């Protein structure tokens, strides 16, 4: 049963949370996590400019402060990627053993609720904020979003704070950075596995499944396979539910691909898998327990791991090797694999023999899954323009499912990519069509207002019309030209005393269609969210 709450937290206090100050003047530098009686984990930039530190156990009323120093060689500054930004401190005064945190390695799942406590300027006793994990951002870090608009912004004083999983009470990582635009409500976390990669000594205080069995680490003795196609499939983990069946020698390629992708996610690699298991001889409950544990799903004393999985399977990427040698292959397919697929997971099923009885159960599962996914894609194709080959490719895939659902399943991601490209082209075409309609409507309104003889407007209209009629049109240039004409008409009408509010379509287009009035597109005033690796996200301590 997964339960990482410490006894000291039953009163609602997370007694491992500490505040870090500079010893010489008492200035608050940030936060940290008590990982042992004498060690605190924090960010490297929090302690970069202070030799002597004070650590305050703020969640333990009346507890004394302790002097602390950075452990020699255990401070890793932020690097490009972004990567790193972690440090380990040693306390002079040991803390009670029951106050240490539970660091947990866990598979990332989007929108997972978490919380943190920081120490902004003037609020030295701490301020809580509630967030959700959103997605990988660069080499190691995970993006976090505020849970609601009313939550406290992550700002100065939050760096180094432990990010706590609401469901289990485990510490999943440290707050490392925030976005410079406070209105965006974005911040970043370095996960526990990446911390351990930089500071291996921290491994002793970490719990949770590593996500990999030895079968996938010692691949030097097996024949090399062409693992590129497997790695490509694994890289599509954000696309949604999918299943890949491999048989016999193909398993060598899978093992090679898993090892290459870094299944342990030592660097928080979004291209890796969450779990790679050798399930030969394993029961349904044993496999379920590994998945539940890796995903951080809490269970109760009266609920088995397989029951928990069926009730709330996470959207994780899993490789199962030796399905045909599991204790009950057919039951494994129905009670573990099907729920994970239904939960949006991606699964590689490895069969060691091509005459396995379990293959029929897997084939039936794949056939049903592929048929459902093709129906969903067919609905998307129905609303697209008729000038694509997608309907024909859909027919071919449906026929392929009847002959070999396992092989047809391998082509689904590629086919969906083609559908997505067609959808993007259709959106751009709609944006150009909408801009054309807005241009003509605005011209009609300008003529009615007596501006039909305006030479400047005529020139701007001609430029916009030519941009829209280019083959193929440059969407951004066309929309900018239309926007320029609309703005000129508005100014001319204002100068002539006409009401500018009469512009047809004056509110512009939506962000989805990308029309001339969008706030984030060409001619707009919106701001795009910056990736932390592009120009560097501002750290909390730099916002002071």
């Amino acid at each position: 049963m997964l339960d990482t709450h410490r006894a000291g937290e039953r009163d609602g206090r997370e007694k491992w949370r500490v505040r870090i100050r500079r010893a010489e003047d008492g200035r608050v530098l940030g936060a940290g996590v008590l990982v042992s009686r004498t060690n605190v984990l924090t960010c490297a930039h929090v302690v970069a400019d202070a030799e002597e530190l004070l650590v305050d156990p703020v969640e333990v009323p009346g507890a004394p402060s302790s002097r602390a120093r950075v452990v020699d060689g255990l401070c890793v500054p932020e690097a490009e990627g972004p990567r790193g930004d972690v440090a380990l401190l040693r306390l002079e005064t040991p803390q009670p053993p029951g106050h240490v945190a539970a660091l947990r390695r866990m598979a990332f799942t989007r929108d997972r609720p978490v919380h943190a406590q920081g120490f902004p300027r003037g609020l030295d006793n701490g301020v809580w904020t509630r967030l959700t994990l959103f997605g990988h951002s660069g080499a190691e870090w995970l993006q976090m979003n505020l849970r609601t608009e009313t939550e406290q912004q992550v700002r100065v004083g939050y760096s180094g704070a432990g990010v706590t999983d609401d469901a289990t009470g485990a510490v999943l990582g440290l707050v490392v950075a925030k976005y410079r635009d406070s209105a965006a409500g974005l911040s970043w976390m370095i996960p526990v596995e990446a911390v351990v990669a930089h500071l291996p000594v921290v491994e002793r205080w970490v719990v949770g499944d590593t996500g990999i069995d030895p079968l996938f680490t010692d691949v030097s003795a097996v024949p090399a396979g062409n693992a590129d196609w497997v790695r490509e499939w694994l890289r599509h983990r954000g696309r949604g539910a999918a299943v890949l069946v491999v048989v016999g020698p193909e398993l060598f390629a899978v093992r090679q691909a898993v090892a290459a992708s870094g299944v342990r996610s030592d660097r928080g690699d979004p291209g890796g898998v969450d779990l790679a298991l050798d399930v030969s001889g394993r029961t349904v409950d044993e496999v379920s327990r590994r998945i539940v544990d890796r995903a951080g799903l809490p269970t109760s004393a009266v609920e088995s791991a397989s029951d928990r999985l069926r009730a709330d399977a996470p959207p994780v990427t899993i490789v199962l090797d030796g399905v045909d040698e599991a204790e009950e292959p057919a039951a494994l397919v129905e009670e573990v694999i099907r729920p994970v697929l239904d939960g949006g997971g991606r699964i590689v099923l490895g069969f060691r023999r091509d005459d396995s009885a379990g293959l029929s159960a897997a084939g039936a599962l794949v056939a049903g899954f592929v048929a459902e996914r093709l129906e969903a894609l067919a609905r998307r194709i129905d609303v697209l323009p008729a000038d694509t080959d997608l309907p024909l490719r859909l027919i071919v895939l449906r026929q392929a499912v009847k002959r070999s659902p396992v092989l047809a399943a391998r082509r689904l991601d590629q086919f969906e990519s083609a559908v997505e490209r067609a959808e993007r082209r259709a959106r751009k075409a709609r944006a150009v069509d909408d801009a054309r309609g807005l241009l003509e409507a605005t011209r009609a309104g300008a003529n009615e207002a007596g501006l039909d003889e305006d030479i400047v407007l005529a020139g701007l209209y001609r430029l916009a019309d030519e941009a829209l009629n280019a083959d193929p049109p440059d969407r951004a240039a066309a929309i900018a030209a239309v926007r320029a004409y609309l703005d000129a008409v508005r100014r001319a009408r204002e100068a002539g005393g006409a009401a500018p509010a009469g512009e047809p379509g004056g509110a512009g287009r939506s962000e989805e269609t990308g029309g001339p009035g969008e706030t984030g597109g060409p001619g707009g005033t919106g701001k795009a969210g910056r990736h932390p690796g592009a120009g560097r996200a501002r750290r909390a301590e730099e916002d002071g």
Side-chain angles (χ1 to χ4, degrees), residues 247-483:
V247 183
E250 283 188 325
L251 278 172
F252 297 143
V254 171
R255 294 167 191 168
Q256 295 278 355
V258 168
S261 69
V263 66
R264 296 183 63 154
S265 302
D266 284 345
R267 291 287 187 257
D269 180 10
V273 301
D274 298 307
L275 202 62
L277 305 179
D278 177 0
V279 297
S280 58
R282 301 294 183 181
T283 66
V284 166
D285 198 63
E286 286 174 330
V287 177
S288 299
R289 192 177 305 116
R290 292 287 300 277
I291 298 172
V292 166
D293 182 74
R294 179 66 174 158
L297 297 178
T299 57
S300 66
V302 297
E303 182 182 41
S304 69
S306 53
D307 289 339
R308 184 71 177 89
L309 191 62
R310 286 191 292 271
D312 188 21
V316 290
T317 299
I318 301 173
V319 175
L320 302 181
D321 192 318
V323 174
D324 47 341
E325 296 180 6
E327 187 173 280
E328 297 178 274
L332 188 67
V333 169
E334 288 301 317
E335 299 180 33
V336 175
I337 297 164
R338 186 182 294 278
V340 172
L341 274 177
D342 290 343
R346 293 173 69 85
I347 306 180
V348 179
L349 302 180
F351 290 82
R352 297 173 181 173
R353 301 185 311 277
D354 57 11
D355 59 350
S356 168
L359 269 172
S360 60
L365 172 70
V366 172
F369 169 77
V370 173
E372 290 178 6
R373 190 165 167 189
L374 285 179
E375 285 305 314
L377 290 171
R379 290 191 291 271
R380 292 163 62 180
I381 293 171
D382 285 343
V383 299
L384 289 172
D387 59 347
T388 73
D389 64 350
L390 292 174
L392 177 60
R393 292 175 63 180
L394 179 64
I395 292 172
V396 172
L397 262 180
R398 281 172 166 163
Q399 293 173 343
V401 172
K402 296 177 182 178
R403 294 192 301 270
S404 176
V406 168
L407 293 179
R410 299 187 181 186
R411 298 163 59 185
L412 274 179
D413 282 343
Q414 183 180 17
F415 183 59
E416 184 165 357
S417 294
V419 174
E420 290 173 350
R421 289 193 296 271
E423 288 172 334
R424 286 194 295 270
R425 289 194 298 269
R427 285 195 295 269
K428 290 179 180 180
R430 285 197 299 270
V432 172
D433 289 343
D434 290 343
R436 192 188 315 278
L438 184 57
L439 176 69
E440 297 303 329
T442 304
R443 184 193 190 196
N447 291 343
E448 291 175 3
L451 299 174
D452 51 321
E453 301 295 331
D454 190 302
I455 297 177
V456 174
L457 292 182
L460 290 173
Y461 170 82
R462 184 173 61 257
L463 290 175
D465 183 62
E466 290 174 353
L468 289 169
N469 288 317
D471 186 19
D474 182 329
R475 172 178 170 270
I479 288 174
V482 172
R483 182 76 265 172

Side-chain angles (χ1 to χ4, degrees), residues 508-525:
R509 304 304 306 163
S510 69
E511 290 186 12
E512 179 181 357
T513 58
E518 66 180 352
T519 58
T525 59

Side-chain angles (χ1 to χ4, degrees), residues 480-494:
V482 172
R483 182 76 265 172
Y485 177 73
L486 265 59
D487 288 343
V489 170
R490 185 186 67 250
R491 289 192 298 270
R493 295 181 67 172
E494 289 173 348

